[in-house]
């Protein structure tokens, strides 16, 4: 091989290296922008693939896109869809099997049975309940419900392993929190009552915004001696003029005073502010205002924010005096 042939080969390699993959032609008439009107080996390969009925690059891109779409679907999503409650349209937290062989959320199917005129659900296997209509099959069925323990364990495993969609996991976790809070609240847990009151007030955790239900849970917790619920009930409902149906200054001052006497710093600050400004039917009394504000600063549950607020109100009270 002579030197001239070696130079030509090296020159051809350099020219081929200049072809970036983005400019490879997809048909015989296309030219690379850096080829100067000359056709190289890459052009011949691309033109031959185009003339054979399609580009291998396009086909491979389509295959990759299909693979990504398949990977985007969680592996156990089809299995989870089989357990979705036909009434609730979400994964059940307390799944039961009705006599039509379908899985339901317990409270959803119980409400359906009551609404259709059936008697209360029956979990025994010996008695026969009244006949109601199946929500799915629209045929007559009994009112007996059976605990689906294996289904509940399977759903909990799917959520724990995160092998279903994030939206389905979030909805199930919200329903679980609400279900657990209601169960504990019915047994007298004050903390669960406060959580339910907060969720209904703001309309979160999948619950609708319902001021009446929020007030009811606050009232139940207040009657059990929860000072935080007393203060919250006064601030959001009883002493809030925007709540026309629940506004009651007399009852609000009663609960606020009771919470302050029991040592809650937030109630002391609210009561001191009311006396300082003469709000909620109370007279304007600087001495009582100073007493309650000073009392708020020495409470063991007083946060730094409440202490700062009480200190500022005291300074404002001294300036006005």
């Amino acid at each position: 091989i002579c030197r001239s042939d070696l130079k030509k080969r090296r020159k051809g390699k350099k020219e081929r290296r200049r072809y970036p993959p983005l400019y490879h032609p997809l048909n015989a008439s296309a030219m690379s922008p850096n080829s100067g009107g000359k056709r190289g080996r890459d052009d011949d390969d691309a033109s031959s693939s185009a003339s054979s009925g399609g580009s291998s690059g396009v086909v491979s891109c389509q295959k990759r896109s299909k693979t990504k779409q398949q990977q985007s679907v969680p592996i156990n999503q089809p299995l989870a869809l089989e357990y979705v409650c036909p009434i609730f349209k979400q994964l059940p937290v307390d799944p039961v099997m009705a006599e039509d062989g379908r899985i339901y959320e317990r409270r959803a199917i119980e409400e359906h049975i009551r609404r259709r005129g059936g008697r209360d659900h029956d979990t025994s296997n010996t008695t026969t309940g009244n006949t109601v209509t199946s929500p799915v099959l629209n045929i007559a069925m009994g009112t007996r419900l059976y605990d689906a323990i294996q289904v509940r364990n399977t759903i909990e495993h799917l959520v724990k392993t995160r092998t279903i969609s994030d939206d389905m996991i979030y909805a199930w976790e919200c329903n679980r929190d609400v279900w657990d809070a209601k169960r504990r609240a019915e047994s007298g847990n004050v903390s669960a009552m406060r959580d339910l009151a907060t969720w209904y007030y703001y309309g979160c955790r999948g619950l609708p915004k319902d001021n009446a239900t929020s007030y009811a849970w606050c009232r139940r917790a207040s009657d059990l001696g929860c000072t935080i619920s007393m203060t919250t009930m006064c601030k959001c409902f009883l002493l809030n003029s925007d709540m026309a149906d629940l506004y009651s200054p007399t009852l609000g001052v009663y609960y606020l005073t009771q919470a302050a006497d029991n040592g809650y710093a937030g109630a002391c600050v609210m009561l001191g502010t009311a006396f300082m400004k003469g709000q909620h039917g109370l007279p304007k009394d600087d001495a009582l205002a100073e007493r309650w504000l000073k009392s708020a600063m020495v409470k063991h549950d007083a946060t730094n924010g409440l202490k700062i607020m009480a200190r500022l109100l005291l300074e404002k009270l001294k300036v006005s005096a």
Side-chain angles (χ1 to χ4, degrees):
I1 301 175
C2 61
R3 293 183 179 179
S4 59
D5 293 337
L6 290 174
K7 290 181 180 180
K8 288 180 182 180
R9 290 185 182 181
R10 291 173 182 171
K11 185 177 181 181
K13 289 181 180 180
K14 290 181 180 179
E15 290 180 353
R16 283 196 295 273
R17 290 196 193 102
R18 294 174 188 170
Y19 300 162
L22 181 63
Y23 297 118
H24 281 179
L26 297 179
N27 52 61
S29 60
M31 289 290 183
S32 300
N34 295 328
S35 63
K38 298 179 181 180
R39 296 179 59 82
R41 183 182 299 173
D42 298 330
D43 300 331
D44 295 337
D45 295 341
S47 62
S48 62
S49 63
S51 62
S52 62
S55 172
S56 59
V58 175
V59 174
S60 62
C61 290
Q62 293 176 353
K63 290 182 179 179
R64 285 196 296 269
S65 63
K66 290 181 180 179
T67 304
K68 289 182 180 180
Q69 292 176 359
Q70 293 175 356
Q71 292 176 353
S72 62
V73 179
I75 186 172
N76 286 326
Q77 186 71 9
L79 176 61
L81 294 176
E82 293 293 329
Y83 297 140
V84 171
C85 175
I87 302 175
F88 203 51
K89 304 301 182 185
Q90 293 176 359
L91 286 177
V93 177
D94 187 14
V96 293
M97 179 179 289
E99 292 192 19
D100 61 350
R102 302 284 178 168
I103 299 296
Y104 299 93
E105 178 68 58
R106 183 184 294 274
R107 64 179 182 272
I109 189 62
E110 288 177 355
E111 178 64 25
H112 172 79
I113 292 174
R114 284 193 292 267
R115 189 171 60 251
R116 294 304 176 92
R119 71 179 188 183
D120 292 340
H121 68 280
D122 185 6
T123 58
S124 64
N125 298 332
T126 58
T127 60
T128 303
N130 295 340
T131 301
V132 296
T133 304
S134 170
V136 179
L137 304 177
N138 198 24
I139 59 176
M141 72 172 190
T143 59
R144 288 179 296 183
L145 303 176
Y146 306 92
D147 293 332
I149 300 176
Q150 292 179 334
V151 174
R152 181 172 65 247
N153 294 339
T154 301
I155 293 174
E156 291 177 355
H157 176 74
L158 294 176
V159 173
K160 184 178 180 180
T161 56
R162 318 293 292 188
T163 54
I164 57 179
S165 65
D166 293 338
D167 294 339
M168 190 172 288
I169 292 175
Y170 176 75
W172 184 86
E173 289 177 344
C174 289
N175 296 330
R176 178 201 57 190
D177 294 342
V178 173
W179 177 82
D180 183 65
K182 287 184 177 180
R183 179 181 59 82
R184 292 186 293 114
E186 292 297 340
S187 63
N189 190 297
V190 175
S191 178
M193 294 179 188
R194 290 206 313 266
D195 291 339
L196 288 172
T198 303
W199 296 342
Y200 275 110
Y201 183 79
Y202 291 104
C204 57
R205 293 288 179 180
L207 295 175
K209 183 177 175 60
D210 191 340
N211 292 328
T213 306
S214 177
Y215 171 76
W217 284 114
C218 269
R219 185 69 180 268
R220 288 185 61 177
S222 300
D223 293 340
L224 292 177
C226 179
T227 56
I228 299 177
S229 297
M230 293 178 189
T231 309
T232 302
M233 182 175 61
C234 296
K235 181 179 180 180
C236 297
F237 302 109
L238 298 178
L239 300 180
N240 187 359
S241 58
D242 295 335
M243 298 290 177
D245 299 334
L246 302 173
Y247 180 65
S248 178
T250 303
L251 190 61
V253 170
Y254 166 76
Y255 276 106
L256 195 62
T257 305
Q258 190 174 0
D261 286 336
N262 290 335
Y264 184 57
C268 294
V269 172
M270 288 185 62
L271 200 57
T273 305
F275 276 112
M276 188 176 69
K277 298 181 179 180
Q279 297 175 335
H280 313 310
L282 295 176
K284 188 175 181 180
D285 192 327
D286 294 343
L288 289 176
E290 183 179 0
R291 170 196 166 191
W292 286 115
L293 292 174
K294 288 182 177 180
S295 177
M297 297 181 63
V298 297
K299 298 298 182 182
H300 68 278
D301 63 341
T303 62
N304 291 332
L306 287 175
K307 291 180 179 180
I308 293 174
M309 184 182 299
R311 187 182 302 111
L312 292 175
L313 291 173
L314 285 172
E315 292 177 358
K316 185 177 179 180
L317 191 63
K318 292 179 181 179
V319 171
S320 62

